[in-house]
Amino acid sequence: MGSKERIARLKEETRMNILDASLEIVKEEGWQSLSMRKIADRIEYTAPIIYEYFQNKEGILLELTRQGYIILAREIRAARGQHVEPAVQLEAMWTAYWDFAFKYKELYQLMYGVDMNCCELKKRMPEADLADEQIYDVIEQLITVKNRSEDFVCRKFYTFWSIIHGLISINLVNKGRNEEMNQRILKDAIKGIIKYINE
Amino acid sequence: MGSKERIARLKEETRMNILDASLEIVKEEGWQSLSMRKIADRIEYTAPIIYEYFQNKEGILLELTRQGYIILAREIRAARGQHVEPAVQLEAMWTAYWDFAFKYKELYQLMYGVDMNCCELKKRMPEADLADEQIYDVIEQLITVKNRSEDFVCRKFYTFWSIIHGLISINLVNKGRNEEMNQRILKDAIKGIIKYINE
DNA sequence: ATAAATAATTTAACACTGTTAAGCAAAGGT
DNA sequence: ACCTTTGCTTAACAGTGTTAAATTATTTAT
């Protein structure tokens, strides 16, 4: 009765086909545009079939999320394995994290709730700069070394912004964190960046 | 002919009602659940009316985004105004940024593309910790001072993670940034955190 | 005041979405 | 041969954004 196994293998294959098709569609058209019927089209079935392999659409997303975490862990482990000194290891690991985010950006989006819709119109919104300008202004005052490039100021700005936005995002997505710890991380980071702002 | 103005005022009022209703719905049920018909229900009209005030649904979101930026700028300006020394100003401004993000979290989400759906299931996903554990491990090796609390390691981890995730998010949402600058920000930040990891 | 014109609002429809239930056709077992 | 199970599709439901047509209300002109 090897046909049982053959069938199970085929089932496993279409399950993977569903996941592959989903990721393909997302790569081509974005998450917003992923639909059950489009997936069904690619795997040459009709939509209801998918519900024999996944509980619902979110089930597919959840499985892709899971795969993302696995790939990320693999890449980070590999990065670590190429070095021995912890400081070097750590830098390589975070670099691997960075590379993963852009190599598998669709998965990263899914894993960490980074929505990337409608940027064209937002970019042209002058109000978006109102806050930034203020902060730029103060940062420039803090930089005492003369003739710093505009790039330098920009880098400092993004360093601040990144850590704050990152911490906020992490807290908004995985809500219910340690507020006291957040405040310490935030204050420490800000003080740290200000302290060595001229380097 | 003051009726013209009265009508204009009424129109402006329902325009604002649409925006208010939208935000209310989002606060109660999340962005995912915002629909034109629900908005219409709240303002006691039918859906097509909304299209006389906004080009489409995205038009509403865009206007809310705009309002968000304006509020944020106002709060940051106020924070700055309460201090004179730049270093203190800057910390207060970033704190205002932080506070804004949570006080107006729905707007922050919209402005910076922070998606916060389906966390319950993701949190219970063991694969999500695979990468984190590795990094935790190396961070612990880097901390030479004995008897550091688990909290301390955790804080360092989140400091790393925040800046990297923040920078990634910013790049994914506002795509097409300066890759060289990103690398410098990233490397500098990582080196900086490692350097003062025992403080 | 009545008729015509204009504005305001709704209803109906279209093409989608996720999802479920019913139907059908082929295969397997007895 | 019949019955049951399996695989798959069609049809349907309730919802989405959006548009065009129909309807109602209001204003304007005669």
Side-chain angles (χ1 to χ4, degrees):
Chain A
M1 267 303 167
S3 72
K4 270 270 165 62
E5 293 161 23
R6 198 199 72 234
I7 287 171
R9 211 166 49 238
L10 277 175
K11 278 218 139 202
E12 190 48 45
E13 202 181 311
T14 59
R15 197 185 132 92
M16 243 178 58
N17 284 346
I18 292 172
L19 294 170
D20 291 349
S22 303
L23 205 54
E24 266 182 45
I25 294 167
V26 171
K27 277 180 185 164
E28 290 168 18
E29 311 175 43
W31 285 109
Q32 206 79 286
S33 173
L34 178 67
S35 84
M36 299 301 260
R37 286 174 175 83
K38 269 187 200 162
I39 298 170
D41 262 20
R42 295 240 175 177
I43 62 169
E44 293 179 298
Y45 277 110
T46 49
I49 274 291
I50 304 175
Y51 293 83
E52 307 224 328
Y53 297 88
F54 296 93
Q55 204 184 356
N56 47 29
K57 191 182 179 182
E58 202 178 322
I60 301 175
L61 304 191
L62 227 54
E63 180 54 33
L64 286 173
T65 306
R66 221 176 58 85
Q67 288 192 6
Y69 283 127
I70 291 169
I71 296 171
L72 175 60
R74 193 223 298 145
E75 308 254 308
I76 285 183
R77 187 162 322 178
R80 186 185 184 180
Q82 290 183 332
H83 305 89
V84 282
E85 216 181 322
V88 186
Q89 277 184 328
L90 194 59
E91 187 178 332
M93 286 159 88
W94 283 122
T95 303
Y97 185 98
W98 174 270
D99 290 338
F100 169 84
F102 292 94
K103 188 173 170 192
Y104 301 93
K105 67 179 169 198
E106 294 81 15
L107 292 182
Y108 191 88
Q109 264 185 98
L110 194 57
M111 293 156 69
Y112 298 109
V114 182
D115 194 24
M116 49 198 229
N117 284 336
C118 69
C119 348
E120 293 312 311
L121 282 163
K122 264 191 214 166
K123 272 194 244 176
R124 287 178 209 142
M125 195 178 283
E127 289 86 352
D129 303 324
L130 290 175
D132 297 1
E133 284 162 7
Q134 299 255 344
I135 294 167
Y136 258 84
D137 203 28
V138 179
I139 291 178
E140 273 167 352
Q141 288 181 39
L142 273 170
I143 297 173
T144 51
V145 178
K146 293 289 165 205
N147 298 327
R148 281 296 193 188
S149 67
E150 188 58 37
D151 247 42
F152 186 84
V153 185
C154 191
R155 240 156 49 216
K156 295 297 170 186
F157 171 74
Y158 274 103
T159 307
F160 277 114
W161 190 20
S162 295
I163 192 155
I164 285 150
H165 172 64
L167 202 53
I168 288 170
S169 301
I170 289 167
N171 273 274
L172 283 180
V173 173
N174 297 10
K175 54 190 161 231
R177 291 230 163 263
N178 188 336
E179 188 53 38
E180 196 191 319
M181 182 180 285
N182 284 331
Q183 289 303 325
R184 268 197 85 170
I185 294 171
L186 197 61
K187 302 281 176 197
D188 284 1
I190 293 172
K191 284 204 198 316
I193 303 173
I194 293 179
K195 195 171 174 185
Y196 305 103
I197 201 161
N198 286 303
E199 300 186 4
Chain B
M1 270 301 166
S3 70
K4 271 270 165 62
E5 293 161 23
R6 198 199 71 234
I7 286 172
R9 210 167 48 238
L10 277 176
K11 278 219 138 204
E12 190 46 46
E13 202 181 311
T14 60
R15 197 186 131 90
M16 241 179 59
N17 285 345
I18 292 171
L19 294 171
D20 290 349
S22 303
L23 205 54
E24 264 181 47
I25 294 167
V26 172
K27 277 179 186 165
E28 290 168 18
E29 312 175 43
W31 284 109
Q32 206 77 286
S33 172
L34 178 68
S35 85
M36 299 301 261
R37 287 174 176 84
K38 269 186 199 163
I39 298 170
D41 262 19
R42 295 239 175 179
I43 61 168
E44 292 178 300
Y45 277 109
T46 49
I49 275 291
I50 304 176
Y51 292 83
E52 307 228 326
Y53 298 87
F54 296 93
Q55 205 185 353
N56 48 29
K57 190 180 179 183
E58 202 177 322
I60 301 174
L61 304 191
L62 228 54
E63 181 54 32
L64 287 173
T65 306
R66 222 177 57 86
Q67 288 192 5
Y69 283 127
I70 290 170
I71 295 171
L72 174 61
R74 195 222 298 145
E75 309 253 309
I76 284 181
R77 187 162 321 180
R80 185 184 185 180
Q82 290 183 331
H83 304 90
V84 282
E85 214 183 323
V88 186
Q89 278 184 329
L90 194 58
E91 188 178 332
M93 288 160 87
W94 282 122
T95 303
Y97 184 99
W98 174 271
D99 290 338
F100 169 85
F102 292 94
K103 188 173 172 191
Y104 302 93
K105 68 179 167 197
E106 294 81 15
L107 292 182
Y108 191 88
Q109 263 184 100
L110 195 57
M111 292 155 71
Y112 299 109
V114 182
D115 193 24
M116 49 197 229
N117 283 336
C118 69
C119 347
E120 292 313 310
L121 282 164
K122 264 191 215 166
K123 271 194 247 177
R124 289 177 209 144
M125 194 177 285
E127 288 87 353
D129 303 323
L130 289 176
D132 297 1
E133 284 161 7
Q134 300 255 343
I135 295 167
Y136 257 84
D137 202 30
V138 180
I139 291 179
E140 274 168 352
Q141 288 181 38
L142 273 170
I143 298 173
T144 51
V145 178
K146 292 290 163 203
N147 299 326
R148 282 294 194 189
S149 67
E150 187 59 37
D151 247 42
F152 186 84
V153 185
C154 191
R155 240 156 50 217
K156 295 298 170 185
F157 171 74
Y158 274 103
T159 307
F160 276 114
W161 190 20
S162 294
I163 193 155
I164 286 151
H165 173 64
L167 200 53
I168 288 170
S169 301
I170 290 166
N171 273 275
L172 283 180
V173 173
N174 297 10
K175 54 191 161 228
R177 292 228 164 263
N178 189 336
E179 188 55 34
E180 196 190 320
M181 183 180 284
N182 285 331
Q183 289 303 326
R184 267 197 84 167
I185 294 171
L186 197 60
K187 302 281 176 196
D188 285 0
I190 292 172
K191 284 203 199 316
I193 303 172
I194 292 179
K195 196 171 173 185
Y196 305 103
I197 203 161
N198 287 303
E199 299 186 6

